[in-house]
Amino acid sequence: RSGDSPSQSRITLSRFLQAYVKDHPETQDLENILLAVGLACKTISNLVNRAGLVYSIQHSNNDDVTAADGGINDGRYYSMKRLDKLSTTVLKNALKFSGTVQMILPEAKEVQEQPDQHQPGVLIAYDEHNLACLDPLDGSGNADASICTGTVFGVFEKADSVVEVDEDNVESLLKAVLQPGNKMKAAGYCLYSSATVLVVTIGSSVYGFTLDPQIQEFVLTHDKLTIPDRGNVYSCNEANSEGWGDSWKKYLKNLKLGLGETQQRYALRYVGSMVGDIHRTLLYGGVFAYPSDRLHKPQGNLQLLYKSAPLAFVMHHAGGKAMDESGDNLLDKCPERIHQKSPCFMGSPDDMDELKKYLTALKKGRNLV
Ligand code: P6P
């Protein structure tokens, strides 16, 4: 209607989900959990955007830690732990108060196995129909420098084996969630940056909702978001290049010299917050990669279950592709442990098809110059 302020004529997340589940009745059991995630993301956005202020006021208190999750390990301190914990609590409460959602924090044995590593507080939540994995604040080590961070989530069909959680059923829950990304029925992320953008797919198209500060509602801004077929940006941590495999190095060398299929030189963009790098790749095209680094991180630095698989699921439904180190579909890869990491490559379909020729060449004994 004329005269409406832009916000009033916009479709909010709740109105969108109401209409979507009406048109797709098979998805109606997702409405509850997605609304709860949206509510939590609004609160986390508020917390993250005040981090700089809060940090400067509370700098002296002793809950700061050396950042190991996206922070620069040079002895500088970030209040990463506090934001991580706050975001986890906000997400837990939103899911709990949404209705029948229960959850468990996997204080599983593998956390003890890697005591030296900061294990993000991944959440596993479930209700009558859904089993969700949530990373409350990916890239939290960057938050005190006001660099973008994000929440990541993936939702599976609840496996029959998951019964009411009590001490002897934690194992059944942790086992039930170890599924390949192609078994997801919804996934998405919320980017906390110059704008707060919630991107969601319910197993078909991808939709982006931007938080309108005037009405404190997520409003539809990216309807059926589709990744460009080709980009001219690659995104990876070049500090690991000495440990990379030949296939990736050959592919990258051609991009840098303008000798790839487009005969165009590509630029490097790397934020070090996966949600930010993936969102840019989705909108502008190109390739995001965390290859195996045989010297320091042979499995890369990204957990499959609650980081690269949900983001690969979004990428796939936006028309993009995601692969593992051998060029196979990343969504077919089943994690064996909650915090298992995996090398990953994802982005524009034409860029990924070009990369796949390199990743599979060694397997076929072909040597691409
Ligand atoms: P590296 C943040 O700590 C994170 O989990 C992702 O958000 C990010 O893409 C990656 O790690 C950065 O890892 O080894 O490049 O610092």
Side-chain angles (χ1 to χ4, degrees), residues 69-70 138-139 237 240 270 272-275 277 288 290 297 301-303 307:
D69 171 23
D138 169 71
N237 184 341
N240 303 332
Y270 190 68
S273 256
M274 188 177 191
V275 171
D277 283 317
F288 172 86
Y290 209 108
K297 299 169 187 165
N301 191 27
L302 300 172
Q303 292 83 356
K307 287 184 198 274

Side-chain angles (χ1 to χ4, degrees), residues 28-30 32-33 98-102 125-132 155-164 185:
Q28 66 185 26
D29 58 47
L30 283 162
N32 196 24
I33 204 162
S98 72
T100 57
V101 178
Q102 299 193 34
Y126 74 98
D127 62 16
E128 195 187 346
H129 304 282
N130 305 299
L131 189 56
V155 188
F156 296 98
E157 194 59 50
K158 180 186 150 196
D160 299 343
S161 62
V162 179
V163 289
E164 289 315 304
K185 53 187 196 176

